[in-house]
Amino acid sequence: MAEIDDAADRFRDEILRRERAAAGELVRAYGAAWRRIKKSLDELEQQIAQARARGEEVSPDWLLRFERLQAVQRQVEAEISQFAKFAESKIIAEQAEAVQAAQAHAEQLMRAALGKHGVTVTFARLSTDAVQAMVGFLQDGSPLRSLLDALGPEAGQAVRLALITGIATGQHPRAIARWIRNALGGNMVRALRIARTEVLRSYRTASLRTYQANSDVVKGWYWHAALN
């Protein structure tokens, strides 16, 4: 039993290392999108400063009237949509790797359980169709893309609200930029949560289906978890 627990611990650490590496790539991609968005915000900050220097009243109407707000909002949505495309491809690739790892790990655990009894067994592996069914469509039966697509409009609305509220309350443009960064940071957290949930769900589902595919050998299993 201790041998199987030790192997399960190693496998859990392996899948979590992969998840952290994928999360790092998503963070870097999101950071690049933020830097491009920040350039537009800097330009808007300069326009606001110049308008105020001329004695103009900078208000939400001012933003809307000259389409400055819409321009920034459109860019934010476009940047986050591009990020969503990258995230989708990355998550699906990670899901596929997680499914393959789960099958290999499940087989190794089964061999560890049977090895000491001198039993030689050929284990069944999941079909290609079964693997594809687990990749990209595991969140409440909905395509993964629909989860990520929502990030763009939500980000655009968050930016719009931050700009209007900041201007209406007389906030410094740099303060408004911080609000926007924080709002977009919330979307980054959500994207990471989606990635982690879907990759780990793929791993768990593939493990379970692998055991089910070998029901002539496996009569039961138990959950192995850590409170960390």
Side-chain angles (χ1 to χ4, degrees), residues 18-93:
R18 292 184 181 183
E19 188 270 334
R20 286 192 293 269
E25 290 193 41
L26 292 179
V27 168
R28 286 191 290 274
Y30 207 92
W34 163 250
R35 286 190 292 274
R36 290 189 292 269
I37 291 168
K38 182 64 165 58
K39 182 179 179 182
S40 289
L41 291 174
D42 288 342
E43 293 173 355
L44 181 57
E45 177 185 338
Q46 185 177 13
Q47 290 178 346
I48 292 171
Q50 291 172 349
R52 285 175 172 166
R54 292 192 298 267
E56 296 179 19
E57 179 186 357
V58 178
S59 65
D61 286 340
W62 181 88
L63 283 172
L64 291 167
R65 187 168 60 251
F66 294 101
E67 297 187 348
R68 294 175 175 88
L69 178 57
Q70 290 92 332
V72 172
Q73 187 175 359
R74 283 194 298 269
Q75 187 190 353
V76 169
E77 292 185 7
E79 290 289 351
I80 302 305
S81 293
Q82 283 297 113
F83 167 78
K85 292 179 183 178
F86 169 79
E88 179 191 30
S89 63
K90 184 64 182 175
I91 293 171
I92 288 177

Side-chain angles (χ1 to χ4, degrees), residues 19-189:
E19 188 270 334
R20 286 192 293 269
E25 290 193 41
L26 292 179
V27 168
R28 286 191 290 274
Y30 207 92
W34 163 250
R35 286 190 292 274
R36 290 189 292 269
I37 291 168
K38 182 64 165 58
K39 182 179 179 182
S40 289
L41 291 174
D42 288 342
E43 293 173 355
L44 181 57
E45 177 185 338
Q46 185 177 13
Q47 290 178 346
I48 292 171
Q50 291 172 349
R52 285 175 172 166
R54 292 192 298 267
E56 296 179 19
E57 179 186 357
V58 178
S59 65
D61 286 340
W62 181 88
L63 283 172
L64 291 167
R65 187 168 60 251
F66 294 101
E67 297 187 348
R68 294 175 175 88
L69 178 57
Q70 290 92 332
V72 172
Q73 187 175 359
R74 283 194 298 269
Q75 187 190 353
V76 169
E77 292 185 7
E79 290 289 351
I80 302 305
S81 293
Q82 283 297 113
F83 167 78
K85 292 179 183 178
F86 169 79
E88 179 191 30
S89 63
K90 184 64 182 175
I91 293 171
I92 288 177
E94 289 296 316
Q95 283 181 306
E97 289 188 14
V99 169
Q100 297 298 327
Q103 293 185 89
H105 292 168
E107 181 176 332
Q108 291 179 56
L109 289 173
M110 287 186 286
R111 290 188 185 281
L114 296 173
K116 58 178 175 288
H117 300 297
V119 179
T120 301
V121 179
T122 298
F123 296 102
R125 295 181 67 83
L126 300 178
S127 68
T128 300
D129 289 342
V131 170
Q132 290 177 344
M134 277 183 283
V135 174
F137 293 84
L138 295 176
Q139 178 69 32
D140 298 330
S142 299
L144 173 65
R145 185 59 182 273
S146 66
L147 294 171
L148 296 170
D149 278 346
L151 297 177
E154 289 177 5
Q157 184 61 29
V159 168
R160 181 184 184 88
L161 180 61
L163 282 168
I164 289 177
T165 302
I167 292 297
T169 57
Q171 298 295 320
H172 192 281
R174 289 191 180 88
I176 298 173
R178 284 196 299 272
W179 290 359
I180 293 172
R181 185 177 65 244
N182 292 338
L184 295 182
N187 267 348
M188 176 74 259
V189 170

Side-chain angles (χ1 to χ4, degrees), residues 193-207:
R193 185 181 300 118
I194 291 170
R196 182 182 181 89
T197 298
E198 296 309 319
V199 171
L200 296 183
R201 191 197 304 269
S202 297
Y203 182 87
R204 288 193 301 269
T205 304
S207 297

